[in-house]
Amino acid sequence: MTYNAAMYLTLFATGFLRLFYACYARNFRQPRSYQYSCLSLLLIALVLLSPNKSFGDDSRSDDKLSLRVAVAANFRAAAEQIAEKYSAASGVPVQISSASTGVLAAQMRRGAPFDVLLAADRARPQALVKDGTSPGPAECYAVGSLVLLGADDLQSALADRSKSIAIANPRSAPYGIAAEAVLGRDGFANAAQRRVVRGSNVQQAMQFFASGGADLALVARSLSPIDGIAVPKTWYPPIKQYAVLNARSENLATAGAFLEYLLGPKSEPVLASFGYQQCS
């Protein structure tokens, strides 16, 4: 029996006994017909006030049916579409929150009530499994890609040191690591002195570019599915994104079902529309 159910049962029993005492013990001198009438009303109240569901269900049952999914900033738009399709098929609502992978992993380790973490790298999910924050295993759910925004020609734009460029912070965001690898290529060595604007995550890097804070941006294809020039995938290490469950989750079975849906064929069209590939 849950805590809420036990508390309800205790209060209900106490109230019933007090009403019984008021009807019978305190009114024993009243005519018996009065006592019968009072007890009849008491029984009617008992039926009306009794819970419509078993004591094993508490007021949090609806919350336990919903999922809270923490998503790396690059994957938010894709996750929202996949969550919508999953909810339509399963009836389970999904709440999405996003930030950089580093921030989300730290929050989950400190007890944030996420059921699932969709990270942008492999290292942090594996670390969560290693320290027991996640029951594991870490599973690859998507492979991301980079695009260059603000240019007509990839080579000349990246070689032009007068052009400032926005990227995600390599210390906290895997797309920043990929962007830094591109900028470090030998062909762009003369651009080493360019101004690089680093966002805390790839979404913020996109915002810097959109607001005019940088001339160019190296960001996830998912943030600009139509615009931009695709960066050859041989120019940066594969951006394999991994997912883990939260060991503290009260919805592990449902969270596992969501993750299975994400890894399955029904998610592939959504992934492709945002520039992702499913993991092989």
Side-chain angles (χ1 to χ4, degrees):
M1 182 180 295
T2 64
Y3 172 77
N4 285 347
M7 182 175 65
Y8 177 87
L9 182 60
T10 301
L11 293 175
F12 186 82
T14 301
F16 181 85
L17 290 174
R18 287 180 176 178
L19 286 173
F20 179 85
Y21 178 77
C23 280
Y24 187 77
R26 294 182 60 186
N27 296 296
F28 68 94
R29 293 181 179 178
Q30 298 291 340
R32 191 168 297 275
S33 59
Y34 175 87
Q35 296 176 7
Y36 287 157
S37 299
C38 187
L39 289 175
S40 296
L41 291 174
L42 181 59
L43 290 174
I44 293 173
L46 176 63
V47 172
L48 293 176
L49 294 175
S50 61
N52 293 324
K53 54 184 179 178
S54 66
F55 287 121
D57 296 329
D58 62 23
S59 59
R60 296 182 60 202
S61 61
D62 289 341
D63 292 337
K64 289 184 178 180
L65 289 176
S66 65
L67 283 177
R68 287 168 286 195
V69 180
V71 181
N74 74 90
F75 198 70
R76 177 170 188 135
E80 288 175 341
Q81 286 197 18
I82 292 171
E84 183 178 350
K85 291 179 178 293
Y86 174 77
S87 295
S90 66
V92 178
V94 179
Q95 303 172 23
I96 301 290
S97 58
S98 68
S100 70
T101 292
V103 168
L104 293 174
Q107 290 177 346
M108 186 166 159
R109 187 172 282 111
R110 291 196 297 265
F114 306 137
D115 297 302
V116 183
L117 169 63
L118 304 183
D121 67 356
R122 182 182 184 183
R124 291 179 179 88
Q126 285 188 322
L128 292 172
V129 173
K130 185 176 180 179
D131 66 19
T133 303
S134 169
E139 297 195 63
C140 181
Y141 67 91
V143 182
S145 57
L146 278 178
V147 294
L148 178 69
L149 302 178
D152 297 323
D153 180 76
L154 186 67
Q155 294 277 356
S156 61
L158 290 176
D160 186 353
R161 66 181 182 182
S162 69
K163 298 283 189 181
S164 60
I165 189 166
I167 68 172
N169 189 339
R171 294 185 177 181
S172 60
Y175 280 85
I177 296 175
E180 197 170 59
V182 171
L183 295 178
R185 289 177 58 82
D186 291 341
F188 309 134
N190 64 343
Q193 297 178 354
R194 76 163 74 244
R195 185 171 69 92
V196 178
V197 182
R198 294 176 175 84
S200 60
N201 56 55
V202 72
Q203 180 70 54
Q204 190 176 61
M206 180 70 173
Q207 291 170 355
F208 287 152
F209 168 74
S211 64
D215 301 314
L216 308 170
L218 273 173
V219 295
R221 162 63 78 183
S222 59
L223 301 183
S224 184
I226 299 175
D227 299 326
I229 304 172
V231 179
K233 293 186 177 181
T234 55
W235 289 13
Y236 54 90
I239 309 172
K240 292 186 176 182
Q241 306 194 189
Y242 280 72
V244 286
L245 304 179
N246 189 345
R248 297 184 180 91
S249 171
E250 297 181 357
N251 303 314
L252 280 176
T254 307
F258 172 79
L259 187 53
E260 184 177 350
Y261 182 91
L262 173 62
L263 300 176
K266 292 183 179 180
S267 294
E268 188 170 7
V270 177
L271 293 175
S273 70
F274 285 95
Y276 297 102
Q277 293 179 334
Q278 283 193 318
C279 304
S280 57

